[in-house]
Amino acid sequence: MCGIVGYIGPKRACDVLIEGLKRLEYRGYDSAGVCVYHAGRLHIAKSPGRISELEKKIAEDPAIQCGTVGIGHTRWATHGEPNEANAHPHCDLSGRIALVHNGIIENYAPLKRFLSDHGHVFRSETDTEVLAQLIGRFCQDGAETLEDAVRAALSEVGGTYGIAVMSASEPDKLVVARKGSPLIVGVGSGEYIVASDASAILEHTTNVVYLNDNEMAVVTRDSLRTMTLDNVPVSKEVEQIEWSLEQIAKGGHEHFMLKEIFEQPEVVKMCMRGRVDLRDMRIQLGGLESVTGALLRTKRLILTACGTAWHAALVGDYLFEDLARIPTEVQYASEFRYRNPIVEDDTTVIAISQSGETADTLAALREAKEKGALALGIVNVVGSTIARETDAGVYLHAGPEIGVASTKAFTCQLVVETMVALLLGRKRLLSQPVMEQYLRELAAIPDKMQRVLDKAEEIRKIAEDYVDRDNWLFLGRGYNYPIALEGALKLKEISYIHAEGLPAAEMKHGPIALIHEGMPAVFVTPQGPTYDKILGNIEEVRARRGKIIAVASEGDEGIRSCCDRVITVPDCPVALQPMLTVIPLQLLAYYAAVARGCNVDKPRNLAKSVTVE
Ligand code: F6R
């Protein structure tokens, strides 16, 4: 998704902007650009493709290299193809105002017609240029300051935006505003860095001011003023970002995704720290204390999310019904608000999201709140929009997830769901001995994860042996059915191999027609209530000469006779198995993608944070 960086201070703006844009690369983009003020004019460099292309252009432009105030952008195309003309920053007609924008201006077409009728000429196909020209028009029509013009223009537009604007007429100033797209102002010593994402700021400062929706900020060399879009002053606290630079570097691994897969034992420990209390043998979730009473009265839980987080929600469905006996359903966030959902009294909606910025999940959350549900969040990014709009919630504490394919956030989502289910379960029906057994097992998960990770080499060989197959099936039952879906998603999104995930027994109702000689079928089949049933499904594939790769329990020697390859995971209660069984599938996808020469951390067509509907 698009990324914004802005800088005002004593340093060369282009250095800060480029470095910040590189930190935002993980979000996905297809073009990039910067604008820097120098000697009375705005100087712009833009390029389709990677940031290295933009750097070449900057190297040829001495004026851009001089300025100390500027804005930059990585664009992920929505309106118009990813070319130089459509890349941000965009200017007004005079070329004296420049703007970068994340989000979508929904009424750009009538505004563009209006401006065209009044002599405006457009150089791009973007909705963003319409906003830039509108701001320019308000300046031309007598707005006293840049912020007045921005405010006036924003009152005309519908849709979502995070914007940063600068003007050659007021060169020591950046104006930023947000509605539906995140913006943060980093407060350094003698400098300010504006960004859509904390990772672009961390190099310079950990002091930040978060803008809320419908707020704007005017940043000068020595001041920061925040106000609503209606110009009512808002006083803001400077908050601390907890993530370190080291946390967002690759830490010696070839890819962020691999680093994040291997971090899982550590981050899962972090996620449980202070929450799984083995001394008093209870779960403590400070983020839910204010709503525990309401949660206990809940008659129906709705879990809503997208993609991998939706798979975590499917596991949550089993957890909440099994451990807490609360009727639970899972809804795709993208469908939720369009189906006129039934939200009765005592319904709780939990939005699950790594980024906390996914547009569909946010919209589902807002719909649920509108209908009166208690709205909770299970979110990774602290201070993200979903985290701030929920009534209460639990952070994942998984640290920044940079690889586009979600891995460690997923396992932490499972851990948080388990903790919430146990907390409620204990208050409703679980006996203390059962609770204690779960707590001990949960605490043992990080070491067991490490034992699975120790098999990485073995899994790499399996991936390499089957990487030439174009179609894969992933099958599981019960708690491991969502893991089959997740295994298929991981493989297709980073290796571009077609894969389908299914509850194993569904295979005979149609997909079995796909099985042919040599086709890999990955069965997620640790010991559990459906183990014997799934052996039957394995035989069905074997009879059609498919290749069986099984994720099975340690010590299950019997399964080897009916499988081509077996990856074992340590034993644990069935409810916790997904935290272990997903790891071989993450590694299988990773090594398959590497063997195919794919760009693992930035798969084609994908964005880390999907902030458009
Ligand atoms: C897949 C993946 C996506 C995200 C989905 C939701 O590996 O990462 O499917 O899970 O876009 O994103 P969040 O969790 O940020 O709401």
Side-chain angles (χ1 to χ4, degrees), residues 358-390:
T358 301
D360 284 322
T361 311
L362 184 56
L365 177 76
R366 287 176 176 161
E367 174 73 21
K369 283 181 77 172
E370 181 70 26
K371 290 208 144 101
L374 173 67
L376 306 182
I378 296 179
V379 172
N380 192 33
V381 178
V382 176
S384 58
T385 311
I386 292 176
R388 282 183 293 134
E389 292 200 11
T390 40

Side-chain angles (χ1 to χ4, degrees), residues 398-453:
E401 192 177 68
I402 309 286
V404 165
S406 188
T407 52
K408 62 176 180 171
F410 177 74
T411 37
C412 287
Q413 283 159 355
L414 303 185
V415 171
V416 169
E417 288 174 334
T418 308
M419 292 190 295
V420 178
L422 287 173
L423 176 81
L424 299 179
R426 175 69 189 105
K427 291 192 192 290
R428 290 167 65 98
L429 73 148
L430 287 183
S431 67
Q432 185 61 14
V434 172
M435 177 75 167
E436 291 183 12
Q437 193 189 344
Y438 271 115
L439 294 181
R440 283 198 196 90
E441 290 285 356
L442 205 45
I445 284 291
D447 287 344
K448 293 184 179 177
M449 284 179 147
Q450 189 56 51
R451 273 159 61 191
V452 183
L453 290 168

